[in-house]
Amino acid sequence: MKQLTTVESMYSCVRCGACREACPTLSITGREADGPRGRVLMARNLIEGVIPVNDEIKEQLDRCLLCSACVDACPVDVAVPDIVMMAKEKISEVRPQEGVTGIVGKWVFRKLLPFPKRLQKLGHLLWIYQKSGLQMVVRKLRVLKLLSESLQQMERAMPEILPPSRRNPHPLFTPSDRKDLKGSSHSAPRAALFQGCIMDMMFRSTNENTIRFLAQSGFDVVTPGQQVCCGALHTHNGEKDTALELAKRNIEVFEQANVDYIVSNAGGCGAMLREYEELFRDDPEWLPRARQFCQKVKDVSEVAVQKGTIPQAAGQGERITYQPSCHLQYVMGVKDAPKKILRSVADAQYVELPEAGYCCGSAGIYNLLQEQMANDILDKKMGNVAKTRANVIVTANPGCLLQMKMGIERAGMQGSVEAVHIVDYIVEAMERNKQSQTAEDQEELQKQSV
């Protein structure tokens, strides 16, 4: 079936209502304008010039999470996020963002995120902030009260930044740990880690664990050193030209890596990488290269389940629930693989999260730009977490992880519930299983020697 363009998709909506139950914002307000049908109609009228750009229309379109849950529910695949983005581009042409917010936003998107070395320097500053005692002083003096509630919560949920000595470049090559492949004529499949920008600075240990997990799942792991930001935040915030340049750079770098798979451990990044083909739809020179690139992109859980071997892992009697990344489940189409991995953990009970299909309210930087709506969505999510009685919330995206940590604090669940990335959880469980096996082997040897 021929894929519709965004404009064609805009006219294919028949207002059947299949999307209503899937929309997080509509579930909060109940207003048609906060649902997919309302947004498509507003966007269409705005693009056609039927209605002028105004504050109300801008606010309604900005309240869209771009989560794609509505696309998953739509019988004719109306591309609501793309339609909303097209309308927002129209708004930005008429009313470009100005003032301090506009200046800071442009600096972040154009001068910070595209440059890994600058991000690492920011990581150095955050590490100093955490370790020098400055963080404690700032909190005691309540300086953070000058910031929004979401920024205060995010500062408290920020993970411990690794020291500069621990954030050197990843090994270019890490061999597979699969014993059955060693010395045989069969070579391990080659997987390249897409390390991300914020991910590698703020969640460096998760990237290290991802390399370890892939190697133990049977992959030779390559980590290209010249890769850059995926461009997702740029695309969602109207910086399309920068996104195109980042995409071209990543395509070139991973072409040279000569790998079977390009693996992401962040749902938002993986979804953006999968959309490079759409990004170059009108560029005959880059489209074939983008298409080939996209065909190799896999989520870490997806590639382990489909192409590797899930290592044995052991829990500690905990109850686990899983909050999926919207872009992972709806854009990448990865829904069952993370659950299969979690269910494979011995001595741990997996519990399904009610209404797991709803967004957690992170959505890139949505929780900073739409604070009240994001908090309403998060509070509803934490109510469902409480129903599971889980003490571990597993996520597959850094933004979701921070959001769930914020949710734990908002719900007063500190000490009884923790949020972890799926790779960090499974690697810790793998190490626990290894230690258990080693102890059992030593005990057996002692019995035999008696």
Side-chain angles (χ1 to χ4, degrees):
M1 182 183 294
K2 176 181 175 291
Q3 185 178 0
L4 299 178
T5 65
T6 302
V7 173
E8 290 170 338
S9 179
M10 183 172 67
Y11 290 101
S12 66
C13 176
V14 294
R15 300 183 59 78
C16 67
C19 56
R20 286 179 56 84
E21 294 299 317
C23 182
T25 53
L26 183 59
S27 75
I28 296 295
T29 69
R31 298 176 62 230
E32 184 69 16
D34 280 318
R37 297 190 306 184
R39 291 190 178 113
V40 169
L41 184 60
M42 280 188 289
R44 176 175 166 176
N45 286 334
L46 187 71
I47 292 166
E48 291 178 339
V50 175
I51 54 177
V53 173
N54 58 61
D55 290 339
E56 183 179 358
I57 295 296
K58 183 180 184 303
E59 173 64 17
Q60 290 298 338
L61 294 176
D62 284 345
R63 280 154 70 100
C64 178
L65 290 148
L66 305 175
C67 67
S68 294
C70 51
V71 183
D72 187 69
C74 179
V76 291
D77 297 328
V78 174
V80 179
D82 293 338
I83 295 167
V84 170
M85 286 305 305
M86 181 182 289
K88 290 174 78 169
E89 288 174 12
K90 177 77 171 178
I91 292 173
S92 65
E93 290 173 4
V94 177
R95 298 172 58 177
Q97 197 171 35
E98 298 175 346
V100 175
T101 302
I103 294 170
V104 172
K106 287 179 180 178
W107 181 83
V108 169
F109 291 128
R110 298 178 187 179
K111 302 298 183 181
L112 178 63
L113 293 179
F115 301 96
K117 289 183 179 179
R118 295 178 187 177
L119 277 167
Q120 289 304 326
K121 288 180 181 178
L122 174 61
H124 298 347
L125 294 175
L126 290 174
W127 175 73
I128 292 171
Y129 170 71
Q130 290 181 333
K131 296 300 180 183
S132 66
L134 181 59
Q135 184 179 47
M136 188 180 300
V137 171
V138 167
R139 289 179 176 180
K140 282 186 176 180
L141 294 178
R142 299 190 175 183
V143 175
L144 296 174
K145 290 290 184 181
L146 300 173
L147 304 177
S148 68
E149 181 184 351
S150 290
L151 281 172
Q152 293 177 50
Q153 292 173 343
M154 192 167 292
E155 190 274 344
R156 292 192 292 270
M158 183 171 61
E160 184 175 337
I161 306 298
L162 294 181
S165 60
R166 283 285 311 279
R167 284 186 283 114
N168 293 320
H170 294 286
L172 179 60
F173 179 77
T174 304
S176 166
D177 281 349
R178 279 268 299 273
K179 293 181 175 61
D180 59 322
L181 291 174
K182 293 178 179 178
S184 72
S185 59
H186 299 287
S187 60
R190 285 168 60 88
L193 171 66
F194 183 80
Q195 63 191 32
C197 51
I198 299 297
M199 190 74 193
D200 205 52
M201 180 267 286
M202 192 172 286
F203 299 92
R204 174 60 180 240
S205 58
T206 303
N207 275 351
E208 293 174 350
N209 282 335
T210 301
I211 294 173
R212 191 174 297 119
F213 174 68
L214 287 171
Q216 294 195 26
S217 298
F219 298 90
D220 285 340
V221 187
V222 178
T223 310
Q226 301 303 312
Q227 57 182 290
V228 292
C229 173
C230 68
L233 290 176
H234 300 82
T235 302
H236 294 162
N237 289 276
E239 295 283 337
K240 189 174 181 180
D241 289 343
T242 305
L244 284 168
E245 290 306 311
L246 293 169
K248 288 178 181 179
R249 181 60 182 155
N250 281 325
I251 290 170
E252 289 174 338
V253 167
F254 284 94
E255 282 176 342
Q256 295 168 12
N258 189 29
V259 294
D260 301 301
Y261 310 107
I262 300 167
V263 179
S264 168
N265 57 16
C269 292
M272 183 64 206
L273 298 178
R274 283 267 182 95
E275 292 182 330
Y276 277 6
E277 181 177 350
E278 178 63 23
L279 204 59
F280 290 102
R281 170 182 280 208
D282 300 321
D283 188 331
E285 179 185 352
W286 280 91
L287 181 59
R289 298 171 70 178
R291 182 178 293 123
Q292 189 174 33
F293 176 95
C294 293
Q295 290 170 351
K296 294 183 178 182
V297 175
K298 298 276 188 181
D299 180 69
V300 60
S301 62
E302 177 186 24
V303 78
V305 168
Q306 293 180 355
K307 308 297 181 180
T309 302
I310 302 173
Q312 291 185 330
Q316 302 179 94
E318 65 269 24
R319 288 170 67 90
I320 322 164
T321 195
Y322 170 62
Q323 167 56 33
S325 153
C326 294
H327 285 92
L328 180 59
Q329 63 177 335
Y330 297 131
V331 180
M332 296 188 73
V334 179
K335 297 182 178 181
D336 296 328
K339 298 178 185 179
K340 185 172 182 178
I341 291 174
L342 294 174
R343 290 191 179 106
S344 73
V345 179
D347 197 22
Q349 182 182 2
Y350 176 79
V351 187
E352 196 71 42
L353 178 65
E355 298 183 320
Y358 280 152
C359 180
C360 65
S362 173
I365 55 175
Y366 183 92
N367 53 359
L368 300 179
L369 302 178
Q370 297 290 329
E371 184 176 343
Q372 186 58 56
M373 179 63 79
N375 284 338
D376 289 344
I377 292 170
L378 179 58
D379 291 342
K380 181 178 180 180
K381 177 67 66 177
M382 297 313 296
N384 283 323
V385 169
K387 293 176 184 177
T388 68
R389 294 184 293 111
N391 43 19
V392 179
I393 308 169
V394 176
T395 72
N397 188 59
C400 301
L401 178 57
L402 284 176
Q403 186 77 345
M404 298 312 292
K405 285 179 179 289
M406 289 163 55
I408 289 170
E409 181 178 317
R410 287 179 63 84
M413 295 179 175
Q414 305 97 313
S416 59
V417 181
E418 65 172 329
V420 297
H421 191 285
I422 186 170
V423 169
D424 295 327
Y425 173 78
I426 200 69
V427 166
E428 182 180 341
M430 284 161 43
E431 293 303 317
R432 189 181 300 116
N433 181 75
K434 280 185 179 180
Q435 292 172 5
S436 176
Q437 290 293 327
T438 300
E440 289 178 7
D441 291 344
Q442 289 176 346
E443 185 178 346
E444 184 64 28
L445 286 172
Q446 287 177 351
K447 287 180 180 180
Q448 292 176 5
S449 64
V450 174

